[in-house]
Amino acid sequence: MPRKIKRAKQRFPRRYVADTHIKERPLVFVDLEFSGLAADNEILQIGAVLVSQPAFEPIGEFSVRVRPRRLENADPKTLKLIGYTARKWKDAIPLKDALEQFNAFVDGAVLIGYNVVGDFYQLKKSLHEVGLKPTYHWQVLDVQSMIFAELYRSGMDGFRMREVIRYYRLKGGPWHDALADARATLEIFKKIMHRIEEGR
C-alpha cells in the first residue's frame, strides 16, 4: 500500500463510518443576495425552503434581510438588481442574528442551491466572521449542475435560472429576491427529479 494512502487511512478509527445518509435528511433550498460579487461584499438577504424526502414537499420557509455593515463597498448595480433601498431594509437585522436564525432553521439538513458555489462561500465566510459554525450537513448539492447535464443538448447557452424556468414553463420571480429564488430552485429540482422518474 502506498505510504500516503496508508497515512490517510490511519487518520480515522478502524470502524469510522462517514455520516452521510443524505436521502434520510430534509433538504433545504437556499438563495442569498449580496451587496456585490467581490469577496469582501456581504450578505443582504437569505431565503430558504425546507422540504421533506422523498416527496420534496415544503415543510417550512425562511426569509430575512440583513443589515449592511459595509455599504460603502457595495456595487451600485448589484444593489439596484436586488432592489435594495433603505426603506425596504428598515427592519433588517444584524448578520449574526440572521445567521443564528438560519442555523436553527437548517439544522442537519442538506443544503441545495442554484450555482451554489458563491452562496456557499459567502455563507461559510460570514458564519466564520461572526463566530458561528454551520449546522447544515457537510454535503452540498447544486441544481445548476443537474440542469447542465439534463439540458446540455437543448440549445440553451447560459443555463441561468430564469432561462430554465422559462424552458420548463414553471413559476418564478420576482428575480433576485432570495426566498423567491429558493422557491424557483426547488421547482426546477422537482421537475428534473420527475423527468428522471418518468424515464425509468
Side-chain angles (χ1 to χ4, degrees):
M1 179 183 297
R3 189 175 299 175
K4 287 184 179 179
I5 295 176
K6 188 175 181 180
R7 283 202 301 266
K9 289 185 73 174
Q10 289 171 348
R11 293 177 189 171
F12 301 106
R14 285 185 178 181
R15 295 185 180 179
Y16 174 81
V17 178
D19 181 18
T20 53
H21 308 294
I22 62 175
K23 289 173 68 176
E24 300 170 16
R25 297 172 177 273
L27 305 177
V28 59
F29 291 80
V30 177
D31 186 78
L32 308 180
E33 297 299 334
F34 311 112
S35 62
L37 297 179
D40 63 345
N41 288 133
E42 56 188 326
I43 297 171
L44 293 182
Q45 190 183 18
I46 306 172
V49 182
L50 193 69
V51 308
S52 63
Q53 293 196 71
F56 309 127
E57 289 301 322
I59 54 179
E61 292 190 338
F62 176 86
S63 181
V64 66
R65 287 192 170 108
V66 181
R67 187 182 303 159
R69 298 169 296 162
R70 303 182 296 272
L71 204 55
E72 67 278 3
N73 295 337
D75 177 4
K77 291 181 179 178
T78 301
L79 293 182
K80 184 176 180 181
L81 191 67
I82 69 171
Y84 175 87
T85 65
R87 184 176 179 179
K88 275 188 180 180
W89 261 254
K90 65 182 176 64
D91 295 323
I93 63 176
L95 177 65
K96 186 171 184 179
D97 294 349
L99 291 176
E100 285 175 340
Q101 292 180 23
F102 177 76
N103 261 350
F105 182 75
V106 303
D107 190 19
V110 177
L111 188 150
I112 305 182
Y114 197 91
N115 191 21
V116 75
V117 173
D119 292 39
F120 183 67
Y121 165 76
Q122 286 285 6
L123 193 53
K124 290 274 283 186
K125 183 191 79 167
S126 299
L127 284 162
H128 178 74
E129 283 178 0
V130 299
L132 297 174
K133 292 183 178 180
T135 61
Y136 49 83
H137 190 55
W138 56 274
Q139 290 178 302
V140 177
L141 303 176
D142 182 28
V143 174
Q144 191 180 44
S145 297
M146 297 169 68
I147 281 294
F148 187 78
E150 174 78 8
L151 300 182
Y152 187 78
R153 303 293 182 189
S154 69
M156 190 176 294
D157 184 42
F159 297 92
R160 296 173 63 208
M161 185 187 293
R162 194 177 306 195
E163 293 177 87
V164 177
I165 287 288
R166 190 182 307 121
Y167 180 89
Y168 282 136
R169 299 179 182 177
L170 301 172
K171 292 181 180 179
W175 304 113
H176 298 290
D177 172 84
L179 181 56
D181 285 353
R183 288 170 177 163
T185 302
L186 169 59
E187 291 305 309
I188 295 169
F189 175 84
K190 287 168 68 175
K191 183 70 175 181
I192 297 170
M193 297 301 287
H194 179 67
R195 285 168 62 87
I196 290 170
E197 290 296 325
E198 280 187 329
R200 286 182 176 174

